[in-house]
Amino acid sequence: MDYKNTLNLPSTDFPMKANLVKKEPEILEKWEKEDIYSVIRDTSKGRPAYILHDGPPYANGNIHMGTAFNKVLKDIIIKSKQMDGYNVPYVPGWDCHGLPIESQVDQELGDKKLEMTQSAVRKKCREFADRFIKIQRDEFKRLGVFGEWDNPYLTMNYNYEATIVREFGKFAINGSLIKSKKPIYWCNSCGTALAEAEVEYEDDISPSIYVRFPFVSDLTLNYPSLAGKDIFIAIWTTTPWTIPANLAVALHPDFMYVAIDTPTYGVLILAEGLLEYFLSTAGIEDYTIIERFNARELEGLKVKHPLYSRESIIILADYVTLDVGTGCVHTAPGHGQEDYESGLQYNLDIYSPVDDKGRFTKDVEFFAGQEVFEANRNVIQKLSELGVLIKEEQVTHSYPHCWRCKNPVIFRATEQWFISMDKKDLRARSLNAIRGVEWVPSWGEERIYGLIENRPDWCISRQRSWGVPITIFYCLKCGNYFISQEIVDHVAQLVEKHGTDVWFDLSAAELLPKGTTCPECHGDEFRKETDILDVWFDSGVSFTVLEQRDYLSYPADLYLEGSDQHRGWFHSSLLCSIGTRQKAPFKSVLTHGFVVDGSGRKMSKSRGNVISPEEVINKYGAEILRLWVASEDYRGDIRLSQEILDRLTEAYRRLRNTFRYLLGNLYDFNPLTDTIPYQELLELDRWALHRLQELTETVIKSYKRFEYHSIYQAVYNFCVLTLSSFYLDILKDRLYTSPVNSKERRSAQTALNEILEGLVRLVAPIIPFTADEVWGYLPNKERPISVHADLFIPVREEFKDSSLIKRWDLLLNVRKEVTKALELARKDKVIGHSLDATVSLALPKDLSQGLEDYRDELRTICIVSAVEFVDEGTIEGGYESQEYDGLIVKVMPSPFPKCERCWIHDSAVGHDTGHPTLCKRCVQVI
RNA sequence: GGGCCUAUAGCUCAGUCUCGGUUAGAGCGCACGCCUGAUAAGCGUGAGGUCGUUGGUUCAAUUCCAACUAGGCCCA
């Protein structure tokens, strides 16, 4: 007779092989059909809300691994908060305006652009953004991310654009807005401003000149050695044309400077560290050092401009280096980024006497009307004539060029709009607010604090097309610019209806409320501003979405982005919110690191180490990608490699198989009728339930702390150690051989069911596809349509029994020793399967006390045919425990025949004539 | 060049921070073996680490401090 048919072997349709790549789209379709997101919204009505406000990705390409990581992390938070009892709506967003899209559209259009109106080009930009929003949306959905995908917030939506106009209006009206000069990249031949991304660096040959500026301040008082001499400071530059705009000379605050006396050039002051370099370059051999200075002693002294009869001031700046030159840096605040910052610091004019075509303006003596690059020659000539030129040569260096016309570009100061950091105490109020926000990890606080503390005023204007206009008007009569609440409201209404195209399509008169007159001169003819807003302002006011949708709330509970956003979105959002609402838009801010390759290098095309989300999804499935997100500690760099993916795939299989095995053993279990009350469960099953509570506690706590890698480790170890290699392995005998409806079997199933129900929920936020697939196979069908619409099962205190755990710790430890002994016996070919063995234990006193009541459990948990306790000294040979002094384990092959049904060797096998190959227990079962 | 961050077995993570103190843990992978009633599964045993480097503090440092190296983010 084939007794195998009399066993209760596991049985389930839940497939062992996941085939995620094929299965996931089916599950997505099911979710779509069920409208799972709405179902979750409905079922969680009335629960406390948890608002994670989405940082809008930029809509100009497919998502990369960083975007995928970020979105999955958000989704894990959303799903886990949801299952932890909150109502967690999620409105995804996209950042739509800005230069990258405008540039890409420019390239697609080519020369056609020249014949198009600004609005027509903007329309192309809108279509471009739209295209990629759809693509990215599908990519995010494919990752299993739940959200309001059919109603996201887009910064180019008309109502959002109107909001931007209104928020900008608040700054303008409250007095934070200022207009001032700032140097930007400028292409002389195109006559346009360029963004940083629009310049290309290429090697160029430039003049390199050394010039001496005579001192005006009297140095002889403090330095008598200099008495009676002509004293100069020596500077070096590769842009002679900026000399007319020189207003200062910068020294490094920590460098030493020397004064050298030369027969040809008089006394020259320069950095000590560049003395040798300078002397050899300038060809000076005859000199004497007559004085040394600390740079700080010279700060504020005056020198004379080498060309004009005005003064230039000596200032200090960190960016001065000893690489090349003299350590005394010619500073023209209107023609360089660093020069500009020094100019602000020392309150210098941002002087930039150059027009749109790159020609000196008429008030520039000697060079008026000359194009700056052509003027280089003349400037050098003039310096030479005036006897202030020390040396001229040529250098090859990397210099910025216009990406369009390939000509060299210049820095030119132009009028720009700024939000003042200090006029309305924006900086102070922001710094104060930072202290009230929870930053995770905590160092984020210092990082953003430092940035806000030191940043200059926020330049919010751009000379581009694809963006939200700065809605300011100018009076044609008096030149005054103005804005008012009435104008803001009026324009915002127009924008809400027609989008910001309206600004480009209509005239100033059409855009203004009827009867508007200039508040200064009552003129009635106007022009509109042509600049648009920095896109960081667009996304910076995204918290308005939280106010405008009644199911969201401001401020958000959480903002979550990469650590680069301390300078980006966290930063602009904070400023926008503080500036208009006096409080931070977020209660807490979580940051993650960047995705790097297996050896910690950044992913880049040139390195060839890029792994795309698409690649992972198509080869392994989104679930593996999500498991990766959960498994990595994201506070630092996040590594990704083929090996990591392979490991995760194997781990996934293990998790899946654990679920499958649990399901397989519950095929005949009806929780409603077959559940055994806790107090009547076998000890081992109660032990398992206690372990489940510990796991639940760890996992729920880790979800709260956003520490998903701990969850991954805990769940995985639970499946492998607690379940697979221990509990489930031991349970097999009881599950398979006991009568179907026996208490022992139902006791095991009660525990298994509890474990399955708990586990499937705990992992659902991380592997939502698999969890929901498992959900469909659970024994009891009275449940929500998806695991994601349900809640975690909280820790059940009544399932905890720490004294039981303590007793069993000993059993587990002894088991470990027995397993070692079994392995040795196996090596010696004494046994194969552990059930072939009978084990004799010589126990020291302290052990025998704890084990006396567990003689039978020991046999079961060691999965051997018999365990007997014997006196010390009666055993010969045997394995001596390293853990317990005096514990000796002797493994022998069982002398009894093997029961054909349960595989246990037993003395009673053969005693029953009806079933001569079965043990007593199995005979009874049959 | 500056600000912030990271560095523990081949891989992913514990431990160190708030207590510095016997042989630094886990799983995976690897090697070897068992089973064939979770079977393109399951079980066991074992080998892997001068805790990035160098100094300092200390009776004692992976743990505290400093510098350096490598890498990451943001600036310049």
Side-chain angles (χ1 to χ4, degrees):
Chain A
M1 178 173 174
D2 188 2
Y3 291 108
K4 191 168 170 177
N5 297 329
T6 70
L7 296 172
N8 316 301
L9 294 178
S11 160
T12 176
D13 293 332
F14 184 82
M16 175 183 279
K17 202 156 179 286
N19 203 354
L20 291 170
V21 176
K22 186 165 158 283
K23 185 77 187 179
E24 283 168 357
E26 291 169 19
I27 296 174
L28 286 167
E29 210 168 295
K30 171 181 157 271
W31 285 338
E32 194 84 24
K33 223 160 75 196
E34 290 166 346
D35 195 3
I36 182 77
Y37 182 78
S38 302
V39 170
I40 294 172
R41 291 285 68 71
D42 287 346
T43 54
S44 48
K45 262 189 194 127
R47 292 188 201 153
Y50 184 86
I51 306 299
L52 193 179
H53 180 45
D54 192 32
Y58 196 71
N60 73 329
N62 293 76
I63 63 168
H64 55 254
M65 206 43 97
T67 337
F69 184 94
N70 172 266
K71 218 57 158 194
V72 168
L73 199 54
K74 283 171 180 164
D75 190 56
I76 292 175
I77 291 176
I78 284 157
K79 287 193 168 82
S80 63
K81 283 286 174 193
Q82 184 67 42
M83 294 189 72
D84 202 23
Y86 293 89
N87 180 14
V88 194
Y90 176 60
V91 177
W94 272 279
D95 199 4
C96 311
H97 296 127
L99 181 70
I101 288 177
E102 192 173 340
S103 302
Q104 277 169 276
V105 167
D106 275 9
Q107 273 173 353
E108 282 180 16
L109 290 174
D111 289 342
K112 266 194 288 180
K113 190 193 175 190
L114 300 171
E115 298 143 29
M116 294 169 71
T117 64
Q118 217 169 358
S119 284
V121 174
R122 286 168 46 88
K123 187 156 177 276
K124 288 282 178 202
C125 291
R126 184 172 286 275
E127 287 166 8
F128 184 97
D130 238 334
R131 191 162 91 230
F132 281 104
I133 287 166
K134 289 203 173 72
I135 288 171
Q136 292 190 355
R137 183 197 59 199
D138 291 347
E139 289 172 328
F140 289 142
K141 286 168 92 167
R142 179 63 186 81
L143 290 168
V145 178
F146 289 173
E148 211 171 320
W149 294 112
D150 49 4
N151 189 21
Y153 79 87
L154 309 181
T155 61
M156 67 177 184
N157 278 347
Y158 291 176
N159 66 339
Y160 194 104
E161 289 184 330
T163 298
I164 297 171
V165 168
R166 291 194 183 98
E167 295 301 318
F168 164 76
K170 287 180 185 163
F171 280 101
I173 289 164
N174 77 17
S176 295
L177 191 69
I178 52 179
K179 198 173 196 191
S180 124
K181 282 185 170 177
K182 181 186 186 225
I184 54 171
Y185 285 110
W186 188 271
C187 177
N188 296 340
S189 64
C190 301
T192 62
L194 294 175
E196 212 145 319
E198 292 177 316
V199 301
E200 296 169 349
Y201 282 80
E202 246 178 83
D203 274 358
D204 244 4
I205 296 171
S206 297
S208 158
I209 60 170
Y210 290 83
V211 182
R212 55 178 189 158
F213 286 37
F215 265 85
V216 174
S217 298
D218 186 6
L219 288 171
T220 57
L221 208 63
N222 289 333
Y223 309 101
S225 57
L226 302 177
K229 310 214 181 257
D230 287 331
I231 307 159
F232 301 85
I233 194 155
I235 67 96
W236 170 77
T237 182
T238 56
T239 50
W241 66 266
T242 61
I243 293 278
N246 173 284
L247 294 179
V249 176
L251 312 183
H252 195 288
D254 302 330
F255 294 168
M256 289 304 296
Y257 287 78
V258 290
I260 56 168
D261 201 354
T262 68
T264 324
Y265 307 109
V267 175
L268 297 176
I269 293 175
L270 69 156
E272 190 171 31
L274 279 161
L275 181 57
E276 300 238 346
Y277 171 86
F278 170 74
L279 292 171
S280 71
T281 308
I284 298 170
E285 285 167 3
D286 186 8
Y287 73 96
T288 30
I289 298 175
I290 55 174
E291 194 60 70
R292 283 180 90 228
F293 314 92
N294 192 312
R296 296 177 195 275
E297 300 165 30
L298 302 175
E299 185 185 17
L301 296 182
K302 304 271 169 52
V303 291
K304 185 194 151 307
H305 192 280
L307 297 171
Y308 309 123
S309 54
R310 64 165 196 260
E311 287 173 351
S312 201
I313 184 176
I314 294 178
I315 61 174
L316 300 178
D318 290 337
Y319 53 77
V320 176
T321 68
L322 294 177
D323 297 342
V324 66
T326 63
C328 308
V329 175
H330 151 60
T331 301
H335 290 301
Q337 187 57 37
E338 290 169 332
D339 306 46
Y340 167 71
E341 274 158 30
S342 287
L344 292 183
Q345 193 188 331
Y346 285 90
N347 217 2
L348 305 174
D349 185 16
I350 309 305
Y351 182 52
S352 180
V354 175
D355 71 11
D356 282 4
K357 287 287 164 202
R359 292 172 307 218
F360 282 116
T361 54
K362 60 181 185 317
D363 45 317
V364 179
E365 200 183 348
F366 312 127
F367 316 111
Q370 297 179 15
E371 200 271 341
V372 294
F373 287 111
E374 283 158 21
N376 267 340
R377 192 66 257 147
N378 301 328
V379 171
I380 295 167
Q381 178 67 33
K382 195 73 198 171
L383 291 168
S384 178
E385 277 171 28
L386 294 172
V388 290
L389 185 70
I390 299 171
K391 169 78 181 176
E392 178 201 353
E393 51 182 11
Q394 295 198 318
V395 292
T396 304
H397 62 164
S398 166
Y399 192 86
H401 293 71
C402 174
W403 69 348
R404 186 166 304 280
C405 70
K406 309 296 178 194
N407 286 309
V409 301
I410 63 169
F411 258 110
R412 173 176 178 251
T414 55
E415 293 278 331
Q416 301 289 340
W417 293 101
F418 294 83
I419 289 176
S420 167
M421 290 300 296
D422 301 304
K423 222 174 138 191
K424 292 288 164 184
D425 292 325
L426 182 55
R427 188 190 316 275
R429 285 185 286 135
S430 300
L431 291 175
N432 194 37
I434 286 170
R435 299 300 189 207
V437 172
E438 187 197 3
W439 302 89
V440 187
S442 55
W443 49 258
E445 178 168 339
E446 284 318 304
R447 183 158 176 183
I448 194 166
Y449 194 96
L451 287 165
I452 299 269
E453 194 174 26
N454 296 313
R455 67 157 299 149
D457 287 344
W458 181 6
C459 179
I460 54 162
S461 50
R462 298 288 185 274
Q463 292 69 51
R464 314 294 316 187
S465 295
W466 180 228
V468 175
I470 290 178
T471 51
I472 294 266
F473 293 90
Y474 296 86
C475 171
L476 284 184
K477 191 169 159 200
C478 70
N480 170 48
Y481 64 81
F482 62 94
I483 188 167
S484 68
Q485 193 59 54
E486 195 199 355
I487 295 172
V488 170
D489 291 343
H490 185 75
V491 173
Q493 267 176 33
L494 287 172
V495 169
E496 202 160 302
K497 214 165 170 183
H498 310 286
T500 43
D501 284 337
V502 76
W503 184 265
F504 299 86
D505 293 340
L506 299 187
S507 68
E510 291 168 307
L511 288 165
L512 281 165
K514 283 219 166 8
T516 303
T517 57
C518 171
E520 290 290 318
C521 72
H522 302 295
D524 58 359
E525 286 191 295
F526 312 102
R527 70 177 173 88
K528 59 196 179 187
E529 173 62 66
T530 55
D531 288 357
I532 61 167
L533 278 164
D534 177 11
V535 283
W536 284 114
F537 192 90
D538 289 29
S539 57
V541 299
S542 68
F543 57 80
T544 52
V545 171
L546 305 176
E547 300 169 324
Q548 289 166 8
R549 302 198 185 195
D550 58 10
Y551 50 91
L552 303 177
S553 59
Y554 165 93
D557 291 289
L558 184 67
Y559 275 37
L560 161 56
E561 306 298 333
S563 60
D564 57 332
Q565 299 303 329
H566 285 111
R567 193 183 187 79
W569 189 55
F570 302 150
H571 191 119
S572 62
S573 295
L574 180 66
L575 294 184
C576 288
S577 184
I578 295 287
T580 56
R581 285 154 181 80
Q582 335 302 337
K583 61 176 172 177
F586 32 66
K587 293 178 196 158
S588 51
V589 174
L590 183 61
T591 50
H592 57 78
F594 277 67
V595 178
V596 295
D597 73 9
S599 43
R601 307 298 174 109
K602 87 161 85 180
M603 285 190 177
S604 68
K605 272 186 200 148
S606 57
R607 275 205 181 83
N609 58 356
V610 177
I611 300 178
S612 72
E614 194 192 4
E615 218 176 308
V616 177
I617 289 169
N618 291 339
K619 187 168 169 200
Y620 303 92
E623 205 82 308
I624 302 300
L625 194 150
R626 294 185 64 109
L627 203 55
W628 166 67
V629 172
S631 74
E632 293 270 331
D633 180 355
Y634 57 75
R635 288 168 290 201
D637 298 334
I638 306 150
R639 293 192 182 213
L640 181 61
S641 66
Q642 213 55 55
E643 180 179 5
I644 292 171
L645 286 168
D646 289 342
R647 289 296 110 79
L648 285 164
T649 306
E650 283 157 24
Y652 170 80
R653 274 200 222 111
R654 187 62 176 242
L655 292 178
R656 184 176 178 90
N657 233 290
T658 304
F659 277 117
R660 185 172 120 97
Y661 190 68
L662 291 172
L663 287 169
N665 281 297
L666 290 166
Y667 69 92
D668 65 335
F669 184 75
N670 181 346
L672 296 178
T673 54
D674 299 330
T675 298
I676 304 287
Y678 178 75
Q679 283 314 322
E680 296 173 31
L681 293 175
L682 302 199
E683 276 208 18
L684 177 61
D685 300 327
R686 280 188 272 146
W687 176 90
L689 287 183
H690 181 100
R691 290 286 180 230
L692 175 68
Q693 304 318 308
E694 287 177 341
L695 175 76
T696 306
E697 205 165 341
T698 304
V699 170
I700 292 182
K701 195 175 72 197
S702 296
Y703 271 126
K704 282 199 195 342
R705 292 181 182 170
F706 311 115
E707 288 170 3
Y708 308 115
H709 62 283
S710 314
I711 296 176
Y712 170 79
Q713 303 268 342
V715 167
Y716 191 74
N717 279 346
F718 181 78
C719 287
V720 170
L721 295 176
T722 308
L723 294 184
S724 197
S725 85
F726 182 72
Y727 183 59
L728 297 179
D729 208 26
I730 294 164
L731 230 46
K732 282 171 189 167
D733 175 67
R734 183 152 35 115
L735 285 167
Y736 300 170
T737 66
S738 307
V740 174
N741 211 17
S742 64
K743 192 163 183 183
E744 304 85 70
R745 186 153 179 281
R746 293 308 190 199
S747 172
Q749 287 180 313
T750 299
L752 291 184
N753 187 245
E754 199 65 40
I755 290 166
L756 178 58
E757 293 277 0
L759 204 55
V760 72
R761 289 169 174 81
L762 291 178
V763 301
I766 293 169
I767 43 173
F769 294 98
T770 307
D772 223 21
E773 191 186 351
V774 170
W775 195 253
Y777 290 86
L778 294 181
N780 186 356
K781 300 294 174 199
E782 294 289 315
R783 53 180 77 246
I785 57 164
S786 165
V787 64
H788 306 294
D790 208 340
L791 299 172
F792 292 138
I793 298 173
V795 174
R796 304 178 67 161
E797 290 301 328
E798 70 273 23
F799 283 179
K800 283 164 89 172
D801 184 344
S802 42
S803 69
L804 182 150
I805 289 296
K806 217 172 194 171
R807 291 194 304 262
W808 278 71
D809 276 347
L810 176 63
L811 289 174
L812 262 76
N813 286 335
V814 171
R815 179 187 199 254
K816 245 183 220 158
E817 297 306 303
V818 171
T819 343
K820 275 187 188 142
L822 288 170
E823 185 62 23
L824 290 173
R826 205 169 274 138
K827 275 234 159 73
D828 296 341
K829 308 284 181 201
V830 173
I831 57 161
H833 195 287
S834 59
L835 280 176
D836 298 342
T838 179
V839 172
S840 299
L841 295 178
L843 298 170
K845 278 220 175 61
D846 48 329
L847 284 191
S848 63
Q849 273 177 350
L851 293 178
E852 193 49 48
D853 296 339
Y854 290 95
R855 208 177 274 252
D856 203 46
E857 266 81 358
L858 258 182
R859 189 201 66 71
T860 325
I861 70 170
C862 294
I863 319 183
V864 293
S865 279
V867 170
E868 54 173 2
F869 294 172
V870 298
D871 291 333
E872 248 176 301
T874 59
I875 289 188
E876 285 194 23
Y879 164 77
E880 289 180 33
S881 166
Q882 309 292 306
E883 295 298 314
Y884 292 103
D885 261 357
L887 172 63
I888 300 171
V889 185
K890 169 97 174 164
V891 175
M892 289 159 297
S894 174
F896 304 115
K898 178 175 167 183
C899 169
E900 195 188 329
R901 183 168 176 273
C902 70
W903 293 348
I904 292 172
H905 294 253
D906 190 84
S907 60
V909 175
H911 290 195
D912 189 279
T913 45
H915 303 283
T917 57
L918 296 194
C919 68
K920 199 170 152 195
R921 186 181 58 145
C922 286
V923 170
Q924 276 171 2
V925 173
I926 291 180

